[in-house]
Amino acid sequence: MKLQKIKALTNEYLESIGFVWHTDEDNSSYVANEIIQISEDEANAYYEAANELYDMFCEAGDYVIENDLFHEINIPFNLVEVIKESWENDVHWHLYSRFDLAGGIDGKPIKLIEFNADTPTSLFETGIIQWAMLKANNMEDASQFNNLYEALKDNFKRIITLDTEVDKFEEYYSKLNWKILFSSISSSSEDINTTKLLQHIATEAGFNTDFEYIENVQFSDEGIFKGDENFEFWFKLIPWEDIAIDESELALLLTEIVKNKKAIIFNPAYTLMFQSKGFMKILWDLYPNHPLLLETSFSPLEGKKQVEKRCFGREGANTKIINPDGSIDVETKGEYEGHKAVYQEYVELPKDEKGNSYQAGVFYAYEGCGLGFRRGGKILNNMSKFVGHIIK
């Protein structure tokens, strides 16, 4: 692994562009003052891996629905109907997502760890911050696998064209003039600013947009409203499983809204299938020994080092690394114990000379479109650092 020291972006600059979660609780910088050097071939390999994996997820999604495997992958029962509705109609476009991958920069093969398909984080860091890092250090800012901003802009247009081509957007949209309401919770500055970044991109793409905190949005059988204004599209940075568990009445209302074609929601409900770590067991069943996959099961793997995690765990919580003899190497606590456990073959993450582990995140918006890295311990958590990259 090749790390290159750079001059860090100042907190003042980061705040001036809306990036306010730059400092962790221990007062250390969340954004590393180093970047990873990768080759053109390595960048292409990440791109190809994301595209191939997405095709596999779509094939496996058909399999889950046809065989009614929702319970097996821990999907809440009150979202099954809206998942089916959103899957069967092409208007429910998957806006963006992020694959977490091991390998790729250390001469080792790329392996899927999980797929953040519904509410992926680190959008701002990947799409904006690491580009600014190169710019501030007088480096060629195009020397990245990072067209995330433009890819999102085009994918917003596909919401209207429902086509690979986006040049017909203005013609179609002028006849429809549909609006997108963007929502996040009001208590998270990261969620607010990420949502507003997406709103800005959609506005730049040509949409009429608005923003409202989720607690102030109104829902009825007639659609989704801010005050008296009805919105045809709603983007929510709230996980579908949280809606199912904490807001069961809203889950039922959103099902009716989608069924009755009163609004289209992003990301669509079917992304909850992809988000479930249990989905990787389905992938392994359908593509056994695929070079991009790790063996995954709902039962402990015999005689193998493995990771036990929860289907809808987040930020490394409720995770165990288990040695081949069954002893625990390392584990974390958390609030996701109630979700179903899944067991995945352990894979060593690339490491630097200090022993820090690095995990690649590749964003997908119609195709692979942006690479960033997280740095931390054996189990990455919310104290992990963001590390940019440059292609050399």
Side-chain angles (χ1 to χ4, degrees), residues 208-309:
N208 289 322
T209 70
D210 203 348
F211 177 89
E212 185 56 89
Y213 296 121
I214 178 67
E215 52 264 43
N216 298 328
V217 178
Q218 293 100 46
F219 306 91
S220 76
D221 292 342
E222 292 304 309
I224 297 172
F225 295 84
K226 176 183 178 180
D228 295 329
E229 191 171 10
N230 185 14
F231 287 83
E232 292 81 11
F233 297 116
W234 183 47
F235 173 88
K236 47 128 206 91
L237 200 64
I238 301 101
W240 275 105
E241 72 268 21
D242 287 359
I243 293 172
I245 295 165
D246 302 330
E247 302 285 348
S248 56
E249 287 186 16
L250 177 57
L252 291 173
L253 262 179
L254 293 178
T255 300
E256 291 304 307
I257 287 168
V258 170
K259 276 175 61 180
N260 296 327
K261 299 179 173 55
K262 297 296 184 180
I264 296 169
I265 301 169
F266 304 105
N267 273 315
Y270 64 74
T271 59
L272 185 60
M273 293 192 299
F274 296 170
Q275 181 95 8
S276 170
K277 296 171 181 62
F279 199 89
M280 291 180 292
K281 195 269 185 187
I282 306 297
L283 284 175
W284 185 257
D285 289 346
L286 295 177
Y287 304 96
N289 301 306
H290 189 284
L292 291 171
L293 300 180
L294 295 165
E295 182 179 357
T296 309
S297 174
F298 291 127
S299 303
L301 304 172
E302 290 187 17
K304 289 189 175 182
K305 191 166 187 177
Q306 60 199 281
V307 180
E308 176 191 325
K309 42 194 175 182

Side-chain angles (χ1 to χ4, degrees), residues 109-352:
I110 294 170
K111 297 286 186 181
L112 173 68
I113 298 173
E114 57 195 53
F115 188 26
N116 297 274
D118 179 18
T119 53
T121 56
S122 74
L123 179 73
F124 209 119
E125 298 91 300
T126 304
I128 306 294
I129 299 302
Q130 64 173 343
W131 170 84
M133 290 158 75
L134 296 192
K135 197 85 171 166
N137 283 271
N138 299 313
M139 297 176 180
E140 178 53 58
D141 53 47
S143 297
Q144 285 183 344
F145 169 26
N146 184 18
N147 62 318
L148 177 54
Y149 192 98
E150 291 301 320
L152 278 166
K153 193 191 296 186
D154 282 348
N155 227 19
F156 272 114
K157 293 178 180 179
R158 291 189 186 97
I159 292 167
I160 296 296
T161 66
L162 297 177
D163 199 337
T164 57
E165 301 301 323
V166 296
D167 55 2
K168 296 178 182 176
F169 169 78
E170 291 182 11
E171 174 191 344
Y172 289 5
Y173 187 68
S174 64
K175 300 171 185 173
L176 299 168
N177 202 32
W178 287 345
K179 292 167 286 188
I180 310 177
L181 179 64
F182 287 80
S183 296
S184 71
I185 58 173
S186 58
S187 57
S188 169
S189 58
E190 180 178 356
D191 285 3
I192 293 166
N193 286 7
T194 299
T195 305
K196 288 190 172 181
L197 172 61
L198 284 160
Q199 181 189 0
H200 175 79
I201 295 170
T203 303
E204 221 175 73
F207 279 93
N208 289 322
T209 70
D210 203 348
F211 177 89
E212 185 56 89
Y213 296 121
I214 178 67
E215 52 264 43
N216 298 328
V217 178
Q218 293 100 46
F219 306 91
S220 76
D221 292 342
E222 292 304 309
I224 297 172
F225 295 84
K226 176 183 178 180
D228 295 329
E229 191 171 10
N230 185 14
F231 287 83
E232 292 81 11
F233 297 116
W234 183 47
F235 173 88
K236 47 128 206 91
L237 200 64
I238 301 101
W240 275 105
E241 72 268 21
D242 287 359
I243 293 172
I245 295 165
D246 302 330
E247 302 285 348
S248 56
E249 287 186 16
L250 177 57
L252 291 173
L253 262 179
L254 293 178
T255 300
E256 291 304 307
I257 287 168
V258 170
K259 276 175 61 180
N260 296 327
K261 299 179 173 55
K262 297 296 184 180
I264 296 169
I265 301 169
F266 304 105
N267 273 315
Y270 64 74
T271 59
L272 185 60
M273 293 192 299
F274 296 170
Q275 181 95 8
S276 170
K277 296 171 181 62
F279 199 89
M280 291 180 292
K281 195 269 185 187
I282 306 297
L283 284 175
W284 185 257
D285 289 346
L286 295 177
Y287 304 96
N289 301 306
H290 189 284
L292 291 171
L293 300 180
L294 295 165
E295 182 179 357
T296 309
S297 174
F298 291 127
S299 303
L301 304 172
E302 290 187 17
K304 289 189 175 182
K305 191 166 187 177
Q306 60 199 281
V307 180
E308 176 191 325
K309 42 194 175 182
R310 301 291 153 169
C311 279
F312 291 109
R314 290 176 179 267
E315 295 183 328
N318 301 104
T319 300
K320 296 177 186 175
I321 298 178
I322 305 170
N323 294 316
D325 64 1
S327 62
I328 305 298
D329 182 1
V330 62
E331 68 176 308
T332 60
K333 302 298 183 184
E335 58 190 48
Y336 305 104
E337 196 68 34
H339 291 291
K340 186 174 182 177
V342 63
Y343 300 86
Q344 184 183 61
E345 178 186 354
Y346 177 79
V347 61
E348 194 83 33
L349 293 174
K351 285 186 168 58
D352 62 22

